[in-house]
Amino acid sequence: MRSVVAIGLLSFLIAVWAQTGNGRAEQALAEAELNERGKFSNPIGDLDKGGLDVRVPFMLRRLGTYFRSSEGAPERVPNDGSLLRANATDTTPTITWVGHSTFVVQIGGVTFLTDPIWSNTPSPVPAFGPRRFVPPGIAIEDLPTIDFVTISHNHYDHLDLPTLRTLAARDPSTVFFVPEGNARLLRSAGISNVTELNWGQRVEQGAVTVHCLPTQHWSKRSLTDTNASLWASWAVIGADHRFYHAGDTGYFPGFKAIGKRLGPFDLAAIPIGAYRPRAMMKSSHVNPEEAVAAALDLRAEAAVAMHFGTFDLSDEALNEPPKRFLQAAKDQGLGEENAWVLKIGETRQF
Ligand code: ZN
Ligand code: ZN
């Protein structure tokens, strides 16, 4: 009798514990809301972007951007797109690094692009913008038919209107998925096939489901629009394969919640660069060690590195992020073979 009571009590406690866990995960994936000032925010509130003592010297160093050597930038293997075009209706999943956070991904006969940028300078004033060290790995005209595009947020290195206009003109049926508050910008640029989603929302798109998910980041495109539009990560889930793209993000509890609800992922694209100076970047950009921790939280079998070596955005040496990423994968148990550092233009199956 006593053991029956004990088992009953134990199952009750386990049920309560599981409920609390699920509740926490649901909370972490809840929709983001505009506050009374018309701004979105992160669950932890305003991000710490460092004091003026860190930011002013950083901005001054950025002015010297044209004199920085491209030594240590990623290798590039030109890709003529023929393999990707041949694979467009096949079910073999592939990923191709175009540079920065831009990938061509193929899952279940669907081809999509992440944060596509083909421009040389991600900036409202190109003459003063950060330089591109390595040209894109594949030309836009060599791409297979693009079913859809995911955009993580409106920073110029992720939302590149000239590229988006070219893609929309190339194929009007390409769908552009953006986080809430970004559709207006695309429509004002003449791009009409836009679907706006909030965190936790999803859409069936051909053979895959596209999930809009949180990140810990922010948005800004002009002097007055800080956080007026939302930022996001995306999961694309097919019948046999699951892919995740983290956009830009600091390390946050959302990774565990996403891994719990939608993992395990076959492949997760995680940013590993733009982390120095740390006092300014930590809340909104993971470093390579945090990138590996995020991949483990997401229950990703493999993590592919992005957001490094392409544009001159921050203080770390160009070849530091991939070195630290591989070392961290070894140290934290992801395994070096599961930490992918692609060449720009390289295609890999997953
Ligand atoms: Zn950003
Ligand atoms: Zn970025």
Side-chain angles (χ1 to χ4, degrees):
M1 181 62 194
R2 202 179 287 168
S3 65
V4 172
V5 171
I7 289 169
L9 186 64
L10 191 65
S11 8
F12 173 74
L13 288 174
I14 288 173
V16 168
W17 174 77
Q19 272 294 311
T20 321
N22 283 336
R24 234 179 266 137
E26 293 307 313
Q27 213 174 4
L29 300 181
E31 280 182 25
E33 282 172 24
L34 279 174
N35 66 19
E36 65 288 350
R37 291 175 293 130
K39 306 283 186 191
F40 288 103
S41 63
N42 292 286
I44 60 161
D46 286 342
L47 299 184
D48 178 8
K49 292 177 196 153
L52 285 179
D53 57 324
V54 179
R55 285 157 65 182
V56 171
F58 174 77
M59 294 302 173
L60 291 174
R61 284 196 296 279
R62 291 293 89 206
L63 292 177
T65 190
Y66 280 89
F67 304 105
R68 193 171 172 186
S69 153
S70 62
E71 208 181 305
E75 252 184 86
R76 177 175 181 271
V77 282
N79 189 322
D80 68 4
S82 54
L83 281 176
L84 297 181
R85 291 193 301 275
N87 188 54
T89 52
D90 206 336
T91 49
T92 308
T94 70
I95 183 153
T96 304
W97 193 27
V98 179
H100 204 51
S101 303
T102 310
F103 292 100
V104 189
V105 186
Q106 299 182 305
I107 295 179
V110 169
T111 301
F112 61 96
L113 292 172
T114 61
D115 287 352
I117 173 164
W118 263 260
S119 292
N120 279 328
T121 320
S123 167
V125 194
F128 296 102
R131 188 157 68 96
R132 183 167 201 134
F133 289 122
V134 190
I138 180 170
I140 288 188
E141 52 270 28
D142 289 336
L143 290 170
T145 302
I146 301 300
D147 296 294
F148 64 87
V149 170
T150 59
I151 294 164
S152 62
H153 63 300
N154 75 359
H155 286 155
Y156 283 83
D157 57 321
H158 299 261
L159 196 164
D160 182 44
L161 281 180
T163 297
L164 301 186
R165 269 195 218 101
T166 307
L167 290 167
R170 185 176 179 258
D171 187 350
S173 67
T174 301
V175 181
F176 294 81
F177 288 107
V178 295
E180 194 126 322
N182 287 287
R184 201 164 34 155
L185 175 64
L186 271 69
R187 291 198 178 113
S188 71
I191 301 160
S192 52
N193 204 356
V194 187
T195 299
E196 214 177 57
L197 297 178
N198 201 314
W199 296 344
Q201 296 182 338
R202 63 176 191 266
V203 167
E204 308 284 326
Q205 181 68 35
V208 298
T209 307
V210 180
H211 295 256
C212 179
L213 297 160
T215 54
Q216 182 170 292
H217 201 61
W218 56 295
S219 71
K220 183 183 180 66
R221 248 181 119 82
S222 70
L223 291 174
T224 55
D225 69 347
T226 303
N227 294 350
S229 66
L230 191 58
W231 46 95
S233 61
W234 297 93
V236 178
I237 312 253
D240 302 314
H241 295 94
R242 310 171 82 82
F243 173 78
Y244 176 78
H245 186 279
D248 270 356
T249 183
Y251 183 71
F252 79 131
F255 291 126
K256 272 210 175 94
I258 293 165
K260 189 168 180 185
R261 190 195 280 185
L262 294 171
F265 292 98
D266 298 282
L267 185 61
I270 317 266
I272 65 164
Y275 50 85
R276 280 183 206 257
R278 210 64 197 123
M280 188 178 154
M281 303 295 193
K282 185 173 171 58
S283 63
S284 52
H285 290 282
V286 291
N287 66 15
E289 292 75 27
E290 291 167 334
V292 171
L296 293 169
D297 289 353
L298 289 160
R299 300 196 290 145
E301 254 170 59
V304 60
M306 63 175 180
H307 206 263
F308 75 97
T310 315
F311 295 109
D312 191 5
L313 297 176
S314 51
D315 283 350
E316 73 268 7
L318 285 178
N319 60 358
E320 184 184 278
K323 272 193 223 158
R324 281 176 55 173
F325 177 59
L326 292 172
Q327 185 60 46
K330 212 161 142 184
D331 295 344
Q332 295 179 40
L334 178 67
E336 229 179 328
E337 67 286 2
N338 298 319
W340 295 4
V341 178
L342 300 183
K343 293 181 177 120
I344 288 181
E346 180 182 347
T347 298
R348 205 178 276 192
Q349 285 185 16
F350 67 92

